[in-house]
């Protein structure tokens, strides 16, 4: 599924993911490929992303993306809150 994480200042991440775990207001939850449509509010925490391929940082990469050293397909992105929408295998996160 396609994942975009956007803040008011810039696009933090855009890429293909197998699974994404979010810090929801009532606890964490995960979405997978083919998940039913959903809109949810997010609390402060980390978004855990399981990518389809190893994460390769660009030269101008954001320091806000934390890569799991033992599994380069797993990254973490800190958010202060926001909203997530999943529709037709496209996930858009509007984060603070």
């Amino acid at each position: 599924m396609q994942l975009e994480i956007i803040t008011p200042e810039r696009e933090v991440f855009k890429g293909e993911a197998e699974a994404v775990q979010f810090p929801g207001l009532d606890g964490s939850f995960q979405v997978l490929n083919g998940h039913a449509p959903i809109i949810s509010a997010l609390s402060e925490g980390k978004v855990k992303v399981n990518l389809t391929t190893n994460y390769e940082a660009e030269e101008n990469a954001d320091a806000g993306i934390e890569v799991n050293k033992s599994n380069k397909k797993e990254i973490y992105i800190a958010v202060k809150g926001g909203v997530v929408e999943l529709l037709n295998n496209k996930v858009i996160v509007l984060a603070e």
Side-chain angles (χ1 to χ4, degrees), residues 13-30:
F13 177 83
K14 184 175 186 178
E16 286 290 320
E18 294 177 351
V20 186
Q21 185 174 348
F22 297 100
L25 293 178
D26 293 327
S28 67
F29 65 95
Q30 180 171 318

Side-chain angles (χ1 to χ4, degrees), residues 54-96:
N54 285 347
Y55 179 74
E56 305 231 358
E58 299 172 9
E59 284 184 29
N60 59 352
D62 183 325
I65 296 178
E66 180 184 329
V67 182
N68 182 336
K69 290 180 181 14
S70 63
N71 179 3
K72 302 277 187 204
K73 289 184 178 181
E74 188 175 281
I75 62 172
Y76 298 88
I77 301 167
V79 296
K80 294 179 184 171
V83 177
V84 60
E85 176 190 47
L86 169 61
L87 182 63
N88 298 326
N89 265 350
K90 183 171 184 179
V91 181
I92 298 175
V93 178
L94 304 175
E96 296 179 39

